[in-house]
Amino acid sequence: MKRIKVLFICCMVVFLTACSFASKNYEAGVEKFKIKDFVAAETYFKKAIDEGYNKKDINTVYTIVREYNLANQCYSDGEFEKALEHLEKIPKEYAEYSIRQDVELLKEEITKSKDIEDSIEKVKNLVEFGEYSEAKSAVLKIDIEDCNDKQKEEIENLKKQILLKQKNQDPLVLGKINTLVYTYAHGLCEAVNTGEFQPLVGTLYQGSSIYNVQKSYIASMANKDIYEYCLGSEVSSVEWMSETECVISTIETYQI
């Protein structure tokens, strides 16, 4: 009987110690919850539950902070759909606690960010299908003040992309490019035939690599009784690198 009594007392000591640890973890969780350190609160509540603490609706409070933290993490990662799903899993009892304002504010921010993300995706689709005017109108409607850094960067890139794409539809710009290519192609032939570089002046940047190459070429062709004639020139594509720089691809046919 003495051995049984001693064993019983030992078990009671272990049990009371475990309960003490569980209670302390719960109390620590409550303190963290009060100061809105919900990540730490989740950790302490989980420890208390694992150690057998089952009072004061701890499972409900634990679920509230866990789903809130998951939603907040998904929001930070840009996974807005998942973030909203976690918010939907928060027990309705959250409204009885101080976390209510945090949950509602997070939901508002997630919804706003998701709407912006949907608007950005709409602009991308319009650009893909060549609807540049509609894309420009849509991107200007997005409130940049409500965007995160990643969204702001995406919007600025889209604005530049739309601007450059629209240049390819601008008759004035296309007309200038076609005139430049025509003047260059026929000017090159005239320069070769006369031995004078003057016909190419204004079509090439002075000092550029092609400027120097063509100047040397024309000089080398002088007095060789060789004549060139431009049979046709056309612009096959224009790729804008910035607002003032583009790569022009042409098809030119010459008779020598």
Side-chain angles (χ1 to χ4, degrees), residues 181 185 230-237 248-254:
V181 171
C230 181
L231 302 181
S233 64
E234 63 177 286
V235 176
S236 58
S237 69
I248 304 171
S249 298
T250 65
I251 300 173
E252 302 163 27
T253 307
Y254 296 94

Side-chain angles (χ1 to χ4, degrees), residues 149-195:
D149 291 341
K150 180 185 175 183
Q151 290 171 335
K152 287 178 181 178
E153 184 179 354
E154 275 191 295
I155 289 170
E156 288 306 312
N157 288 336
L158 281 170
K159 286 180 179 178
K160 290 178 183 178
Q161 188 179 353
I162 292 167
L163 176 63
L164 299 182
K165 292 288 187 181
Q166 282 186 311
K167 278 182 173 288
N168 283 342
Q169 294 184 337
D170 187 332
L172 182 61
V173 174
L174 292 176
K176 287 182 177 180
I177 290 174
N178 281 300
T179 298
L180 174 63
V181 171
Y182 178 90
T183 303
Y184 167 76
H186 287 79
L188 176 61
C189 293
E190 185 180 348
V192 169
N193 297 341
T194 61

Side-chain angles (χ1 to χ4, degrees), residues 116-124 142 151 155 158:
I116 291 172
E117 201 71 20
D118 292 342
S119 296
I120 290 174
E121 194 62 32
K122 177 184 176 182
V123 174
K124 288 180 179 178
I142 301 174
Q151 290 171 335
I155 289 170
L158 281 170

Side-chain angles (χ1 to χ4, degrees), residues 49-113:
I49 291 171
D50 290 344
E51 290 162 354
Y53 196 91
N54 58 4
K55 299 178 181 179
K56 298 184 179 180
D57 299 324
I58 186 173
N59 287 299
T60 300
V61 179
Y62 168 68
T63 302
I64 291 172
V65 293
R66 182 191 65 197
E67 295 301 332
Y68 172 83
N69 289 335
L70 287 171
N72 205 18
Q73 184 60 54
C74 288
Y75 171 59
S76 298
D77 294 339
E79 298 177 326
F80 305 125
E81 289 285 357
K82 286 186 178 181
L84 289 174
E85 288 175 8
H86 283 297
L87 287 181
E88 290 299 319
K89 293 179 182 178
I90 293 178
K92 62 183 180 180
E93 288 84 355
Y94 83 90
E96 302 171 8
Y97 298 92
S98 59
I99 198 174
R100 176 177 60 84
Q101 291 180 335
D102 300 271
V103 171
E104 291 175 356
L105 179 60
L106 179 59
K107 186 173 184 178
E108 182 181 332
E109 290 177 350
I110 292 170
T111 302
K112 191 181 295 182
S113 292

Side-chain angles (χ1 to χ4, degrees), residues 28-41 44 98 102:
V30 170
E31 290 303 314
K32 294 298 182 182
F33 187 87
K34 287 179 180 178
I35 63 173
K36 297 186 181 296
D37 185 353
F38 300 123
V39 174
Y44 282 115
S98 59
D102 300 271

